[in-house]
Amino acid sequence: NAGVMQNPRHLVRRRGQEARLRCSPMKGHSHVYWYRQLPEEGLKFMVYLQKENIIDESGMPKERFSAEFPKEGPSILRIQQVVRGDSAAYFCASSLRGSQETQYFGPGTRLLVL
Amino acid sequence: TQLLEQSPQFLSIQEGENLTVYCNSSSVFSSLQWYRQEPGEGPVLLVTVVTGGEVKKLKRLTFQFGDARKDSSLHITAAQPGDTGLYLCAGVAGYSTLTFGKGTMLLVSP
């Protein structure tokens, strides 16, 4: 059973460009979570999605950030017009059922904004 | 806002030593999880504790959940270099998602 997969593992963008981060959950999992880890800080929850629905986006910045989890294909975290402060590791996790279930994390995407 | 404070932030010890790291909060959690994260990788779940006062053992690791379900500790006996990593605690309250502490970075030298 493949674990949670994320790509790319590393992404370099210049200020003002767009970043697209992909997450394929574990097989059979329909709940996806995105977290951001800044240097010297813990993992911060961003958004929780179920297939085609956003369940909780309370941790998502109001501007430039969006997330989707379509019926087919991976979940996408999209950051428009990136700024240096967006540089971080972005982790995706998935669970079989709801947020009370164990979340399995992917290896992360390290975004560097120049 | 529920906060989890982890201490110490950094711990550097020699192989064979024992250590304890702590995870404290003023909030009550329905369950608490411990993860280990290695450089360049995502967190890997070690254990989930649910009941106040619960103690779980995983080989040389002992996890305890406080009676009031506000705090937890992780004790490692006879640490080995392979235990090196960032140890994160995360709490679940109600139906909300995980709230993480900042972690304890452990370095075990041979």
Side-chain angles (χ1 to χ4, degrees), chain A residues 13-62:
Chain A
R13 284 287 179 266
R14 296 193 181 278
R15 280 178 296 170
Q17 291 184 318
E18 179 180 284
R20 278 183 181 243
L21 288 61
R22 294 175 192 78
C23 169
S24 296
M26 284 182 71
K27 187 176 180 180
H29 286 194
S30 59
H31 297 255
V32 163
Y33 314 82
W34 285 93
Y35 294 83
R36 178 165 63 178
Q37 188 173 39
L38 289 162
E40 308 299 319
E41 294 198 18
L43 283 149
K44 301 287 187 190
F45 165 75
M46 298 181 74
V47 62
Y48 163 28
L49 309 107
Q50 200 179 351
K51 283 285 187 181
E52 299 186 276
N53 289 306
I54 296 175
I55 308 299
D56 182 352
E57 56 181 348
S58 58
M60 192 86 109
K62 293 284 185 280

Side-chain angles (χ1 to χ4, degrees), chain A residues 9 37 91 99-100 102 106 110, chain B residues 37 40 42-43 45 92 94-95 97:
Chain A
R9 292 291 303 270
Q37 188 173 39
F91 291 95
S99 59
Q100 292 276 315
T102 297
R110 274 121 190 107
Chain B
Q37 184 179 16
L45 180 67
V92 178
Y95 289 93
T97 53

Side-chain angles (χ1 to χ4, degrees), chain A residues 76-89:
Chain A
I76 307 284
L77 179 67
R78 182 182 176 208
I79 311 173
Q80 294 177 289
Q81 298 173 330
V82 295
V83 301
R84 289 211 173 116
D86 296 333
S87 295

